[in-house]
Amino acid sequence: MVDGKAVEGFPTPSRKNEFFSKTMIEWGWPEYALPTYIKSHIHPETLDKSKGEYVLVPTFRLPTLIHSRSGNAKWLYEISNRNPVWMHPEDARKFNLKTGDLVKMNTDIGYFVDKVWVTEGMKPGVVACSHHLGRWRRPEDQTGNRWATNTVSIKNDGKGGWKMSTISGIKPFESKDKDSSRIFWSDGGVHQNITFPVHPDPISGMHCWHQRVRIEKAGPEDKYGDIFVDTNKSMEIYREWLKMTRPAPGPGGLRRPLWFKRALRPVDETYYFENMTENGTLKPGVGNK
Amino acid sequence: MTKKPGFIERLAESIGIIPNLHQNRELDLPHLTQTTDLTSFPPPEKWDDWVEYEAKAHPKREQKHYQIIPTTCFNCESACGLTAFIDKETGQVRKFEGNPYHPASRGRNCAKGPATINQITDPDRILYPLKRKGKRGSGEWERVTWDQVLDDISGRIRKALQEGRNNEIAYHVGRPGHEGYMDRILQSWNIDGHNSHTNICSSGARFGYAIWYGYDRPSPDHAHAKVILLISAHLESGHYFNPHAQRIIEAKMKGAKLITMDPRLSNTASMSDYWMPSYPGSEAAVLLAMAKIILDEGLYNRAYMEQWVNWNEFLEHMHPGTPVTFENYIEKLRETYAEYTPEYAYEESGVRPEMIRETARLIGEAGEQFATHNWRSAGSGNLGGWAVARTLHFLNVLTGSVGTKGGTMPSEWNKFKPSFFAKPPAQKFWNELHFPNEYPLAFFEMSFLLPHFLKEGRGKMDVYFSRVFNPVWTYPDGFSWIEAFSDESKFGLHAALTPTWSETAFFADYVLPMGLASERHDINSYETHSGKWIAFRQPVLREAARRNGKPVTFTWESNPGEVWEEDEFWIELSWRIDPDGSLGIREHFLSPYRPGEKVNIDEYYQYIFERVPGLPAAAEKEGLNPLDYMKKFGAFEIEPHCYHQNLNEVNADVLGVQKWMSGPGG
Ligand code: SF4
């Protein structure tokens, strides 16, 4: 009620801005009843700088590309075709790296080998690498996005070990578009996301993208674009993060607060565990109005 | 203006020393606008025959005739207006420019808009539906017909539905680009089959907003702000990149101050008045330090907070015994955040305390004209990243800049919700592969854990559609996706709906080419600024064919090869899943205009556009029906501003029975 009139307000239990969230308490997170600061999984306390551990910001976008959907746009790849690791000169000195040198970025499940771009435009102690680049196809695949894709070989040891290496970069090709024979760039960047484990936030469910990486100068056997991942480790880290959750049911046997939005919202009866059958639908007689 | 050639110039031209730049002078085309104007757009009355010189014929002055048809860009989510210039000689799109009638983009685009022409002419694009030969992922494909595709997939879905395996069917979407279309389809099949990319993208921010006020997205009114605070590089690569960027700059030209938190000297940071290179994950600490200053220095908006914050509940629950007064609330607030000194925030973030103080005061002074934005970046990078949006919105609450002119609105105030014919009821299934019990508060589907869930034996996907979606490449842990895709006991059938090859399409059973921006239908409406608008993404060659008296039935007939569009694909598929109507699906695909007949795509949009407030009247003024108006202009502004919707009066009787109020915890 405002000035004696009933008004719409906000779609929350109190119809107001909820500085205090009873929902967080009821669903097992009383420590977050109020707006607060939560230390990240890549907080400096969790990193061992003496071992070369850094935080990698892998999320930044380029204004000229759009995720993995612009590999078919020659003008855009002509502008942007590499994703080196941004590193402050102070940090580069520690690893004895200069622009263009190869660096091995060890994640919790594997690594990728990329070039370094030494720049004062990066906060010391933090490294970053743009998303969008490092598109690939294997020799057996249909040709596609040739403006943007490296040709790679992928080897699987059958036990969860996966190795990707670049056979060739981007090359000019003959086609009905004359520009394809004029491609002058050869570097398609490095695929970093594939070397990241899943990090599900136990509350929002968001994948937490930032990575703890152990940085080292690439060795003689490391080639630009090399990637390795062990999917057994992926499963391990998935389980570690799963342990942080505080599962349903919430109050009243609910699987989710009724007032929360939900994509493709099912009928309300499905929110109660007791109403459900094994194959995920309502028990006979429930909700059949 | 071209100046007349001098004697030497003419002589040189005539003997061929320099190219003749002055031939056909009498054919000079008129200037579109005053020559001082930087922008120019062909006027719509000339859109059916627009004449321009052919750039490639230079220095010859060769006239080219174009038909101009609007559509919208499908590269990022903004759906900026595009105008397709269709060469009247070849019947092909020659280029894309902006659409001046689009309320969000106002004729402008980023580089990715005009690059749409590259995408439609890409020599590597997929033109026909393909089916895999050999093992999944082996790279061998054969061309099939759309009939085979539709029959095979619909039969498989029908069987699953008949056997109650509704939870084995899912549609997994990368870039949606439409409004409500798929919800309608999936609910008509009675499946809980929506999966999205949101939890690798924005659910962190969404959660932080939703826990405050139910709405899950911010809509900053940059253009009218005095202070703009951006968490990350929204000026160069924000979610609504071009529409936001032009308004941020507009505000800056009027004197607004821009504050950016970003560990990287992004283009945004370099254009800012204050660059805060904060350590990743420390953003909330900085924001709370700002909140503390605003509280300590009395810069908060008492009237707003008193009315619109649930402070009484806070006192009752957390400080029982304390008299429930606003003064006590402020006192407890100050106690709660006492530890968030700028010095503490500095230790966490590396942002200098003086800068935190200075910007906090600026924010306090901006009051209701304080626009903020946080979408991916910090919100999506960190454990507890949702707290960034939550502490950022706290600043909007403190300053009373929620839903104000120059402040930050909830997105839903700016977004148009279309009305549909024969809307199916909500599904009676809950798919725990999408919303598992461990994550009761997860804001969207736990989509990136799908391979891990399948490996654990939590279920299977019998029919799985990936649509403009590339988890093998974009998601974390792509090799786990490859492993799961390669296993036919986990993914029974995988159909990739995509305009291009992708790392995920390599591991599909069907690769189904779908239209790019100018080859498909969608309705768009996004919270790009203070207004509310809709735009029509339409297949421009189809519309050209209609205008030129050769209408087609299906969009693919006017697209290259046999490139379909999703809208028609889903109608056809749904129709075939339920050949006799016994599954109750067909009834949702009957034309609202021709009883008993299958709906066509024009009717689908006609029904929506006839119900857009103000559109029928605007169309009538032009002598058009609402659908033809949208086909002609491509966009329509419903409201210029949508401030203060929380003050809309409601009937007091309905208050008690609001759906979202029901149940415990609600
Ligand atoms: S901002 Fe987005 S929608 Fe607008 S032109 Fe650029 S890519 Fe297209």
Side-chain angles (χ1 to χ4, degrees):
Chain A
M1 302 289 280
V2 176
D3 300 335
K5 283 184 251 161
V7 297
E8 222 164 81
F10 299 99
T12 58
S14 65
R15 304 199 78 111
K16 295 183 177 176
N17 283 287
E18 302 219 325
F19 167 73
F20 164 74
S21 172
K22 196 162 156 238
T23 306
M24 292 305 285
I25 298 174
E26 287 175 339
W27 289 80
W29 298 94
E31 64 269 51
Y32 301 137
L34 307 180
T36 188
Y37 164 51
I38 302 173
K39 285 187 180 173
S40 174
H41 64 298
I42 45 82
H43 189 276
E45 289 162 4
T46 68
L47 304 177
D48 187 344
K49 276 270 150 80
S50 69
K51 288 195 191 137
E53 284 181 356
Y54 271 69
V55 51
L56 166 67
V57 174
T59 41
F60 78 87
R61 298 171 69 181
L62 303 176
T64 42
L65 295 180
I66 187 76
H67 308 305
S68 72
R69 297 188 294 112
S70 44
N72 50 356
K74 61 184 179 187
W75 294 341
L76 302 179
Y77 266 81
E78 181 179 1
I79 303 170
S80 318
N81 42 59
R82 308 172 268 182
N83 59 339
V85 174
W86 292 36
M87 193 181 274
H88 190 272
E90 274 174 28
D91 296 315
R93 252 193 307 278
K94 273 184 221 155
F95 296 101
N96 190 22
L97 288 164
K98 55 183 189 318
T99 294
D101 284 353
L102 289 184
V103 63
K104 191 167 180 177
M105 306 287 283
N106 296 284
T107 67
D108 288 343
I109 60 170
Y111 64 79
F112 66 96
V113 178
D114 197 352
K115 288 175 189 162
V116 172
W117 183 44
V118 180
T119 169
E120 303 225 344
M122 195 64 224
K123 184 181 177 68
V126 181
V127 293
C129 180
S130 172
H131 161 57
H132 312 292
L133 290 132
R135 301 295 310 280
W136 49 262
R137 63 179 199 272
R138 303 162 303 167
E140 63 266 35
D141 291 318
Q142 306 277 309
T143 53
N145 302 314
R146 276 180 285 176
W147 316 98
T149 48
N150 295 317
T151 307
V152 302
S153 87
I154 296 181
K155 293 209 175 77
N156 173 15
D157 64 9
K159 292 180 292 185
W162 291 84
K163 176 86 204 280
M164 187 189 295
S165 30
T166 307
I167 300 170
S168 61
I170 296 166
K171 289 195 289 204
F173 60 96
E174 293 302 321
S175 77
K176 62 176 196 236
D177 182 346
K178 284 193 194 118
D179 283 346
S180 68
S181 60
R182 301 179 187 128
I183 292 180
F184 58 81
W185 58 98
S186 56
D187 187 345
V190 181
H191 185 186
Q192 51 169 347
N193 292 4
I194 202 165
T195 66
F196 301 160
V198 294
H199 291 156
D201 183 276
I203 295 174
S204 68
M206 177 77 219
H207 169 61
C208 308
W209 277 103
H210 294 341
Q211 300 291 319
R212 173 177 60 197
V213 287
R214 190 169 50 78
I215 298 177
E216 58 181 329
K217 207 176 160 107
E221 70 292 352
D222 295 319
K223 304 248 161 14
Y224 181 54
D226 277 1
I227 281 166
F228 178 78
V229 167
D230 178 354
T231 55
N232 300 304
K233 287 199 181 148
S234 308
M235 277 309 271
E236 258 170 51
I237 294 188
Y238 152 71
R239 288 192 195 101
E240 267 172 38
W241 282 66
L242 192 64
K243 276 196 213 126
M244 301 195 292
T245 60
R246 299 179 191 169
L254 276 169
R255 56 165 102 230
R256 181 182 182 80
L258 275 166
W259 73 272
F260 266 32
K261 284 169 62 140
R262 210 212 91 164
L264 197 73
R265 190 185 175 107
V267 294
D268 281 0
E269 289 82 354
T270 60
Y271 278 62
Y272 298 88
F273 286 107
E274 61 177 21
N275 289 341
M276 305 304 285
T277 66
E278 283 251 302
N279 68 342
T281 192
L282 297 177
K283 286 182 182 157
V286 178
N288 292 326
K289 289 156 211 151
Chain B
M1 284 306 262
T2 38
K3 68 175 181 32
K4 283 223 166 99
F7 169 74
I8 306 264
E9 223 178 317
R10 267 184 285 139
L11 183 71
E13 281 174 356
S14 67
I15 59 175
I17 295 173
I18 61 170
N20 185 349
L21 300 169
H22 300 95
Q23 55 189 316
N24 312 341
R25 282 203 58 82
E26 70 285 359
L27 290 179
D28 253 1
L29 292 170
H31 280 275
L32 297 174
T33 54
Q34 293 296 317
T35 45
T36 49
D37 280 8
L38 288 173
T39 55
S40 56
F41 297 100
E45 59 276 12
K46 294 196 178 166
W47 281 9
D48 272 324
D49 186 21
W50 174 249
V51 189
E52 264 181 22
Y53 289 129
E54 167 60 47
K56 285 202 169 157
H58 183 80
K60 276 226 303 270
R61 295 190 169 208
E62 207 177 282
Q63 291 194 355
K64 271 260 174 220
H65 290 253
Y66 294 103
Q67 189 163 27
I68 298 176
I69 295 181
T71 187
T72 64
C73 180
F74 196 22
N75 276 327
C76 82
E77 186 78 353
S78 318
C80 296
L82 291 177
T83 42
F85 284 59
I86 300 169
D87 184 330
K88 289 197 145 192
E89 236 170 88
T90 63
Q92 295 303 309
V93 181
R94 180 65 194 277
K95 62 171 176 176
F96 291 94
E97 295 195 354
N99 178 2
Y101 291 96
H102 191 293
S105 61
R106 304 182 289 194
R108 296 172 234 175
N109 293 101
C110 83
K112 305 188 289 295
T116 301
I117 190 70
N118 296 164
Q119 301 177 303
I120 62 176
T121 58
D122 174 28
D124 281 350
R125 74 177 291 186
I126 308 163
L127 295 174
Y128 302 96
L130 299 170
K131 187 177 186 194
R132 85 172 147 95
K133 290 197 295 189
K135 251 179 62 196
R136 196 181 282 160
S138 66
E140 283 175 86
W141 299 88
E142 64 184 352
R143 182 173 159 185
V144 286
T145 67
W146 278 104
D147 261 329
Q148 287 171 308
V149 172
L150 289 162
D151 283 342
D152 185 15
I153 301 179
S154 65
R156 194 156 177 145
I157 293 176
R158 178 177 169 77
K159 186 155 184 286
L161 295 179
Q162 282 171 330
E163 293 171 6
R165 292 183 287 111
N166 302 43
N167 279 352
E168 291 184 9
I169 307 165
Y171 161 82
H172 203 153
V173 61
R175 169 67 60 237
H178 52 71
E179 291 305 314
Y181 194 93
M182 281 317 291
D183 287 13
R184 206 180 161 278
I185 302 287
L186 301 172
Q187 293 190 319
S188 79
W189 300 356
N190 187 25
I191 66 169
D192 193 26
H194 185 274
N195 206 345
S196 67
H197 75 282
T198 306
N199 276 25
I200 61 140
C201 178
S202 58
S203 54
R206 286 175 194 264
F207 187 88
Y209 287 109
I211 201 70
W212 259 113
Y213 66 168
Y215 299 112
D216 63 345
R217 298 175 84 132
S219 174
D221 182 18
H222 290 310
H224 303 106
K226 282 190 185 153
V227 170
I228 297 172
L229 171 54
L230 304 177
I231 312 293
S232 189
H234 297 283
L235 183 58
E236 82 223 51
S237 56
H239 200 50
Y240 298 120
F241 170 26
N242 161 45
H244 273 180
Q246 49 181 273
R247 288 171 176 86
I248 292 171
I249 295 300
E250 208 172 290
K252 263 185 76 85
M253 307 277 278
K254 288 187 281 185
K257 294 279 181 261
L258 181 58
I259 309 167
T260 302
M261 249 187 249
D262 193 339
R264 198 173 56 89
L265 183 61
S266 54
N267 296 351
T268 309
S270 67
M271 292 292 286
S272 298
D273 299 280
Y274 297 89
W275 173 34
M276 299 184 157
S278 45
Y279 184 85
S282 68
E283 297 82 357
V286 178
L287 296 168
L288 288 178
M290 291 172 165
K292 176 180 159 59
I293 292 160
I294 290 171
L295 282 166
D296 287 352
E297 301 190 4
L299 299 169
Y300 55 89
N301 183 330
R302 173 174 181 143
Y304 183 82
M305 289 178 69
E306 204 166 354
Q307 183 71 59
W308 287 110
V309 175
N310 70 341
W311 52 269
N312 42 355
E313 278 186 81
F314 160 72
L315 287 178
E316 282 158 13
H317 279 84
M318 303 205 42
H319 300 281
T322 305
V324 182
T325 65
F326 187 76
E327 284 68 27
N328 285 340
Y329 169 52
I330 293 293
E331 201 186 301
K332 291 294 172 198
L333 256 185
R334 291 186 52 191
E335 275 173 29
T336 306
Y337 296 105
E339 57 181 302
Y340 288 96
T341 59
E343 287 69 26
Y344 171 75
Y346 169 69
E347 271 171 43
E348 290 298 294
S349 68
V351 178
R352 283 182 293 109
E354 312 82 71
M355 196 187 262
I356 297 176
R357 282 201 179 85
E358 195 176 329
T359 49
R361 286 176 190 139
L362 270 179
I363 291 167
E365 282 157 23
E368 294 186 353
Q369 282 172 282
F370 172 49
T372 62
H373 204 206
N374 159 49
W375 197 232
R376 302 182 184 108
S377 69
S380 66
N382 300 291
L383 174 67
W386 57 274
V388 178
R390 197 184 196 192
T391 48
L392 184 63
H393 185 73
F394 191 20
L395 296 181
N396 285 108
V397 170
L398 287 171
T399 49
S401 54
V402 181
T404 53
K405 183 171 184 180
T408 309
M409 278 167 281
S411 63
E412 277 176 45
W413 294 1
N414 304 111
K415 223 170 137 79
F416 172 72
K417 284 233 161 34
S419 14
F420 303 109
F421 68 95
K423 205 171 176 285
Q427 74 276 18
K428 296 189 172 132
F429 278 80
W430 185 290
N431 195 335
E432 292 182 359
L433 289 173
H434 299 157
F435 287 95
N437 305 338
E438 289 93 336
Y439 297 90
L441 304 179
F443 220 65
F444 268 73
E445 307 90 354
M446 296 306 298
S447 64
F448 58 97
L449 302 184
L450 183 59
H452 311 81
F453 291 159
L454 294 178
K455 281 187 180 185
E456 282 184 339
R458 294 190 186 204
K460 79 171 268 198
M461 281 292 154
D462 188 49
V463 180
Y464 178 80
F465 295 97
S466 60
R467 187 271 173 141
V468 197
F469 176 60
N470 189 6
V472 168
W473 193 87
T474 311
Y475 271 39
D477 199 9
F479 284 119
S480 287
W481 281 86
I482 293 182
E483 286 178 358
F485 276 140
S486 306
D487 182 345
E488 289 183 37
S489 72
K490 296 188 171 63
F491 286 94
L493 182 147
H494 170 199
L497 278 56
T498 172
T500 62
W501 281 104
S502 74
E503 291 80 351
T504 296
F506 295 151
F507 299 93
D509 300 310
Y510 283 110
V511 171
L512 306 178
M514 294 291 166
L516 292 154
S518 58
E519 301 166 341
R520 54 183 298 110
H521 290 91
D522 289 308
I523 174 173
N524 315 121
S525 178
Y526 299 112
E527 65 281 11
T528 51
H529 62 288
S530 58
K532 187 193 278 188
W533 54 271
I534 54 165
F536 193 29
R537 185 176 291 132
Q538 65 174 335
V540 298
L541 294 181
R542 176 185 177 130
E543 172 59 2
R546 185 187 74 99
R547 285 194 206 169
N548 302 334
K550 292 180 204 129
V552 297
T553 312
F554 288 101
T555 302
W556 69 267
E557 297 170 63
S558 58
N559 277 347
E562 285 180 10
V563 172
W564 270 49
E565 64 160 350
E566 279 98 343
D567 282 8
E568 288 176 340
F569 173 78
W570 297 115
I571 294 174
E572 289 304 305
L573 191 68
S574 304
W575 196 254
R576 291 187 201 211
I577 292 171
D578 190 15
D580 52 9
S582 61
L583 292 176
I585 296 174
R586 259 195 189 205
E587 62 197 71
H588 304 293
F589 296 90
L590 292 172
S591 163
Y593 302 100
R594 294 169 299 125
E597 310 258 349
K598 182 168 56 179
V599 68
N600 66 39
I601 201 62
D602 271 347
E603 291 170 334
Y604 176 87
Y605 286 100
Q606 178 186 348
Y607 187 92
I608 293 174
F609 293 146
E610 282 171 351
R611 284 158 185 79
V612 175
L615 175 55
E620 208 182 316
K621 261 197 214 149
E622 299 284 333
L624 299 167
N625 66 45
L627 177 64
D628 287 350
Y629 179 96
M630 291 304 287
K631 286 180 172 179
K632 176 164 182 187
F633 294 102
F636 177 70
E637 181 174 71
I638 300 169
E639 308 256 6
H641 304 292
C642 308
Y643 307 122
H644 298 296
Q645 303 289 309
N646 54 319
L647 296 177
N648 290 348
E649 263 189 74
V650 291
N651 181 347
D653 301 342
V654 301
L655 282 184
V657 293
Q658 287 284 334
K659 191 167 189 178
W660 43 261
M661 296 286 285
S662 59

